[in-house]
Amino acid sequence: MPSHEFEEPPSLTQPVRGIVLAAGKGTRMRSNLPKVLHLLRGLPIIEHSLRSVLQATGNKPLIVVGQDAAAVRAAVGERADFAVQSEQLGTGHAVMQAEAALRGDPAQQFIITAADMPLVRAETLRHIAAERERSGAAIVMLTVVVNDPRGFGRVVRDAGGNVSAIVEEVACSPAQLKVNELNGAIYCVEAAWLWGALRRIQPNPRKGEYFLTDLVEIAVADGRTVRAIVGADVDECIGINTRVDLADADAALRRRINRAHMLNGVSIVDPATTYIDLDVTIGADTTILPNTHLLGRTRIGSVSVIGPDALLRDSVVGDGCEVCQSVLEEAQVDDGGGVGPFSHLREGAYVGQHAHVGNFGEMKKSRLGARSKMGHFSYLGDATVGEGVNIGAGAITCNYDGVRKNPTIIGDGAFIGSDTLLVAPVEVGANATTGAGAVVTKNVPPDSVAVGLPARVIRRKPPKSSDV
Ligand code: UD1
Ligand code: CA
């Protein structure tokens, strides 16, 4: 029983194509959402299998879809071809639905995977195909040896160690139930043999379904070899049938993602409470502190510190930044910028180089220029703030007049006094100052001081030394 630690993906000489089974009803999820569209680390379950198959084969797979065809097609788009299985008569029947589209396909072998096995790696699929090419077996399959049977089919081997059958749990004898080598439901099958063999599968007497797993006995009856590769990473064979499986898969995938980042030079203080989606990138020497969620297409630069308790979704953080106990959504923080503790950067928020927002600051569709500070209880909405600006405690933009959102512009070097209300649309010129509690309803010219309710200009300021 050879066990393989897959390293270098081998090259294949025979063309190969993927068939992904996704037509099952997913009853055990107890959900209105199709099973394969539930999210796993931020991506639909099927997206994971699709990417692995695309990467392993280099061409579009054929996805067998069922009652949820429209929703699955919408999620996958042009990256696959589709066949429809209108009645769910089992995994063998599902592959039969692919025949019309794939007969005459130049592929000499097919990788068959289940969409609900999202953790299988592209390299593993290539190894299975390479082993099939090398051995000339009718089928090479992935198995896993574990002590928890998970309801999986059991792998039966003959006295010589060759695979002779896969027996589904419902059909197992008491002795077979004790077998701890399980079917991973990932196969590479010779194309010339597949279609004829499928036609010989009989409906299972207990469930009335056509089990794909019966192909093993059919191959053996044909005098063909069936080889099994025992996967070294048991996580690859997590199949998602229930929401309990989904949580297990998420935990396993998180471990895998965190490990890859750590090996890439990112410090993760507590991997168990660090949640990083698949497409996130992080530069070297960045530290991720506990209870941090890096989601979607978030990108983090180098030598930054993120967390604790941070949630970043689809956001970009530069080099040398700090983000502490804050939420960022479609926001950007430039090099050296600081956020938090306790800030909320919403869509279109931009914090410039070495700028800082913290202590209950909120920003939406707003820019805070380089070296500007907004340290205490502030809100910027639809605002453009220049460089070197100080936004005093409690200052806010009143950007919404009940009908529309209006812009606020604050020039370089301005000083916005504590509790200033900027009633938009309004502009505060460069180097201007507003007094504490000012309600600014009209533009404040550059280099002037405005105070009161409504704010009035009370004096011009002497030019700054740098302006002379
Ligand atoms: C299947 C295998 C089992 C293996 C397990 C690993 C069979 C009979 N059993 O069991 O040996 O250990 O996977 O996860 O193959 N599907 C269709 N059409 C159908 C039925 C299923 O497209 O009519 C698809 C499902 O969407 C799913 C996959 O095939 O992606 C597997 O089906 P599922 O019912 O989940 O099989 P398991 O009981 O998990
Ligand atoms: Ca399954």
Side-chain angles (χ1 to χ4, degrees), residues 102-115:
L102 293 181
R103 211 181 233 297
D105 192 278
Q108 286 171 264
Q109 47 188 349
F110 293 111
I111 289 173
I112 304 177
T113 68

Side-chain angles (χ1 to χ4, degrees), residues 2-37:
S3 177
H4 292 252
E5 187 68 76
F6 304 130
E7 279 155 10
E8 280 301 298
S11 54
L12 301 174
T13 52
Q14 294 185 8
V16 58
R17 195 149 174 213
I19 302 175
V20 180
L21 306 185
K25 294 198 200 84
T27 321
R28 291 167 278 182
M29 292 297 277
R30 297 181 182 267
S31 175
N32 288 323
L33 184 69
K35 172 165 88 172
V36 297
L37 297 186

